[in-house]
Amino acid sequence: MKIVFLGTSATFPTKDRNHTAILLRYSSEALLFDCGEATQKQLRISGESPMKITKIFISHWHGDHVLGIPGLLQSMAMNNRKEPLEIFGPEGSDQMFWKIYHAFQIKAPYNITVHEIKNLRSIKSVCVSGNYEVLAMKVQHSIPCIAYAFQERSKYRIKKDFVRKYNLQGNPLLKKLQQGKDIVYNKKKIRAKDVTFVNYGKKVTIILDALYEEKLAKIAENADLLICEGTFSNKMREKVKEKGHMTVKQAAKVARKAKVKQLVLTHFSQRYKNLNELAKEAKSVFRNTKLAKDFMVVNV
Amino acid sequence: MKIVFLGTSATFPTKDRNHTAILLRYSSEALLFDCGEATQKQLRISGESPMKITKIFISHWHGDHVLGIPGLLQSMAMNNRKEPLEIFGPEGSDQMFWKIYHAFQIKAPYNITVHEIKNLRSIKSVCVSGNYEVLAMKVQHSIPCIAYAFQERSKYRIKKDFVRKYNLQGNPLLKKLQQGKDIVYNKKKIRAKDVTFVNYGKKVTIILDALYEEKLAKIAENADLLICEGTFSNKMREKVKEKGHMTVKQAAKVARKAKVKQLVLTHFSQRYKNLNELAKEAKSVFRNTKLAKDFMVVNV
């Protein structure tokens, strides 16, 4: 799985940082998390094809997270895309999306489905696809806002010594075991759990624009990678609440509590020309922290 | 007067070329001609302040010319702009603009006026300000589309030897002569036209997205600078009509017929990685031709 940071700035773009967008490449698909203005150009620069995007997950409908949608959709249309596109977002997404679609007179020759994620009381699976699902959790911001987690399906692998011992290479019974089903072989019952081990699927959690709350750790639990907004330095800790954002230390607290493997911070306020201080603050709470840059790639 | 090319690509942005936007700095004002996606970021990179923009002139409402409007307006709002903003565009602009404004829930704390330019039969002055006016002319494209000309007011200057001869330095009568009015001095009538010369105002014409027609030369007549779309090479001359665009040779023909001082081509199709061929073709018709790049500055 490959993650490409297409934009890492907060409210205003800077010379080097575009508005938020994160591309997750998995198998032949690309999932886009948020789509700030000029995401189509960032894709161009990064060498990633917009045509591979099958699903767009919107955290919330503030301009810096969605203004790239009409341009991206128009370019897909002009490239004669035929593959359907799915859009996921919080309450109100259906109306917001279609208003924008019609205001810009986009005429897409491909099917667009908007999935509005409503009544989120806890963590919910909102999209189940071949080998993965995407989970959603409501977070606190000035408008309805959602954190997502991409969860790859875990797989049962068969222990090699078992296959060797019974000379079972290529035997169709192995498939049953891989599905977690017990089998009978040479009149002997073999339990799946005795001869298999679990290859846990990778998990990537993306929290963009949220107030700090302890429960954020739930959606990030044991993630291989947590991508989290860290808009401000700790010096702003008194003011982040009114701004609807987090300090990098708060983001690092989420990572620590959730026991994630790696934290990547993004969505930095334009006021920080140099992010060394932010990195230091975050690492004092959670050591394995990186600060995203535009076009940075993280492989999971 | 300073012209900054903020975007020089056609339908699709490339790695190096953004969607169309041209900034004209004059006195304390900035006028923006078209506003493709990510214009606010291009302004950031160029070091030009979006807060100086007083007027936006839209050629037409295709996405690659207007998708930067909501982001620019939102950023102006978040920077607490109070100065009014005027927007000029072809028939339908009023409805188009306000649809986009409401779709993106922009809440501008400054006044916005949309001037819809209708019933254009010939060249018409659509905006008269202190020392300049902007002229508009209808051009042929797939939707209503307008070419603009920025025309600085011409000034009467008084001949130095006349001032010296009559020792008139600082005399308020000079102002009358500067306004083209005759005066009486020491009982002698002095004609303005005898003691003044005209300092012709600068003219910059901007033609974006248009089919070639002979009459395009009218709005470009004697311009100090003609900025013109040159989407395609001459090899595409059979197809430009259906595409609603011009070849660089056609743009150069407009420049030659209009007797402009300088031609700058822009709005290049993404298919041209190297523009040498286009430069050669255009220069074979009009020698003083330049090909725009993003962030190129031309002083007039």
Side-chain angles (χ1 to χ4, degrees), chain A residues 238-253:
Chain A
E238 309 292 337
K239 288 187 185 164
V240 281
K241 212 163 180 177
E242 74 190 57
K243 292 193 177 280
H245 289 294
M246 274 194 257
T247 66
V248 290
K249 263 196 161 175
Q250 289 177 325
K253 267 171 79 177

Side-chain angles (χ1 to χ4, degrees), chain A residues 204-245:
Chain A
V204 177
T205 296
I206 300 178
I207 303 174
L208 295 164
D209 286 26
L211 269 189
Y212 175 75
E213 305 172 79
E214 274 215 359
K215 71 164 194 180
L216 287 179
K218 282 187 192 163
I219 187 120
E221 213 168 29
N222 296 318
D224 294 273
L225 171 64
L226 166 61
I227 298 165
C228 191
E229 76 126 300
T231 313
F232 296 111
S233 130
N234 194 44
K235 289 182 187 116
M236 286 284 286
R237 63 189 177 279
E238 309 292 337
K239 288 187 185 164
V240 281
K241 212 163 180 177
E242 74 190 57
K243 292 193 177 280
H245 289 294

Side-chain angles (χ1 to χ4, degrees), chain B residues 61-252:
Chain B
W61 288 87
H62 274 159
D64 53 330
H65 292 252
V66 298
L67 278 169
I69 292 176
L72 183 63
L73 268 55
Q74 277 188 355
S75 288
M76 285 172 172
M78 279 182 295
N79 273 322
N80 214 15
R81 179 190 175 111
K82 295 286 177 238
E83 295 72 30
L85 180 70
E86 290 181 83
I87 295 172
F88 297 78
E91 217 177 310
S93 289
D94 199 57
Q95 206 192 1
M96 277 300 295
F97 174 79
W98 292 110
K99 257 193 193 173
I100 291 168
Y101 184 92
H102 294 300
F104 280 108
Q105 305 185 308
I106 302 168
K107 284 165 194 136
Y110 49 92
N111 196 45
I112 300 172
T113 314
V114 180
H115 304 274
E116 199 169 306
I117 305 166
K118 287 185 204 172
N119 306 321
L120 268 182
R121 286 217 186 79
S122 56
I123 294 170
K124 194 168 132 186
S125 171
V126 292
C127 159
V128 181
S129 198
N131 278 322
Y132 67 86
E133 64 179 328
V134 177
L135 310 169
M137 188 178 97
K138 202 174 160 180
V139 298
Q140 286 186 56
H141 195 52
S142 54
I143 58 170
C145 190
I146 287 178
Y148 295 99
F150 174 94
Q151 175 68 69
E152 190 187 23
R153 198 181 294 278
S154 296
K155 282 177 189 156
Y156 289 93
R157 301 279 186 200
I158 296 161
K159 292 175 182 166
K160 276 186 184 162
D161 52 358
F162 164 75
V163 178
R164 230 178 281 124
K165 188 176 163 190
Y166 292 91
N167 208 16
L168 280 167
Q169 288 89 344
N171 192 309
L173 284 171
L174 294 178
K175 275 224 167 129
K176 282 204 166 177
L177 290 168
Q178 277 171 334
Q179 290 160 359
K181 292 174 188 163
D182 301 339
I183 59 163
V184 176
Y185 182 67
N186 280 347
K187 294 181 187 162
K188 197 180 155 194
K189 185 169 181 178
I190 296 167
R191 289 183 185 193
K193 69 170 190 176
D194 294 336
V195 298
T196 59
F197 62 96
V198 183
N199 207 339
Y200 288 102
K202 301 283 186 188
K203 181 178 177 180
V204 177
T205 296
I206 300 176
I207 303 174
L208 295 165
D209 287 28
L211 269 190
Y212 175 75
E213 307 172 78
E214 273 215 0
K215 70 162 196 180
L216 287 179
K218 281 189 190 162
I219 186 119
E221 212 168 31
N222 297 316
D224 295 273
L225 171 64
L226 166 61
I227 299 164
C228 191
E229 75 128 299
T231 312
F232 295 112
S233 130
N234 193 44
K235 291 186 185 111
M236 286 283 288
R237 64 189 176 280
E238 309 293 338
K239 288 189 184 162
V240 280
K241 214 166 180 176
E242 75 190 57
K243 292 193 176 279
H245 289 294
M246 275 194 257
T247 66
V248 290
K249 262 197 163 175
Q250 288 176 324

Side-chain angles (χ1 to χ4, degrees), chain A residues 48-78:
Chain A
E48 296 290 340
S49 167
M51 304 302 263
K52 291 224 164 91
I53 297 169
T54 51
K55 302 175 182 86
I56 302 176
F57 296 87
I58 301 298
S59 64
H60 66 302
W61 287 87
H62 275 159
D64 53 330
H65 292 253
V66 297
L67 278 168
I69 293 176
L72 182 65
L73 267 55
Q74 277 187 357
S75 288
M76 285 172 172
M78 281 182 296

Side-chain angles (χ1 to χ4, degrees), chain A residues 11-19 36-42 44-47 61-64 66-72 74-76 78-79 96 99-100 102-105 270 273 294, chain B residues 11-19 36-42 44-47 61-64 66-72 74-76 78-79 96 99-100 102-105 270 273 294:
Chain A
T11 316
F12 299 97
T14 69
K15 283 186 182 186
D16 309 312
R17 293 182 186 273
N18 208 63
H19 278 142
E37 185 175 354
T39 293
Q40 63 166 322
K41 191 179 180 191
Q42 299 294 93
R44 214 16 120 86
I45 296 172
S46 72
W61 287 87
H62 275 159
D64 53 330
V66 297
L67 278 168
I69 293 176
L72 182 65
Q74 277 187 357
S75 288
M76 285 172 172
M78 281 182 296
N79 274 323
M96 277 301 295
K99 259 193 190 171
I100 291 167
H102 293 300
F104 280 108
Q105 306 187 305
Q270 61 165 350
K273 308 300 171 213
D294 282 21
Chain B
T11 316
F12 298 96
T14 69
K15 283 186 184 188
D16 310 311
R17 294 183 184 273
N18 207 62
H19 278 143
E37 186 177 352
T39 293
Q40 64 164 324
K41 191 179 179 188
Q42 299 295 94
R44 215 13 123 85
I45 296 172
S46 73
W61 288 87
H62 274 159
D64 53 330
V66 298
L67 278 169
I69 292 176
L72 183 63
Q74 277 188 355
S75 288
M76 285 172 172
M78 279 182 295
N79 273 322
M96 277 300 295
K99 257 193 193 173
I100 291 168
H102 294 300
F104 280 108
Q105 305 185 308
Q270 60 163 351
K273 308 298 172 215
D294 281 22

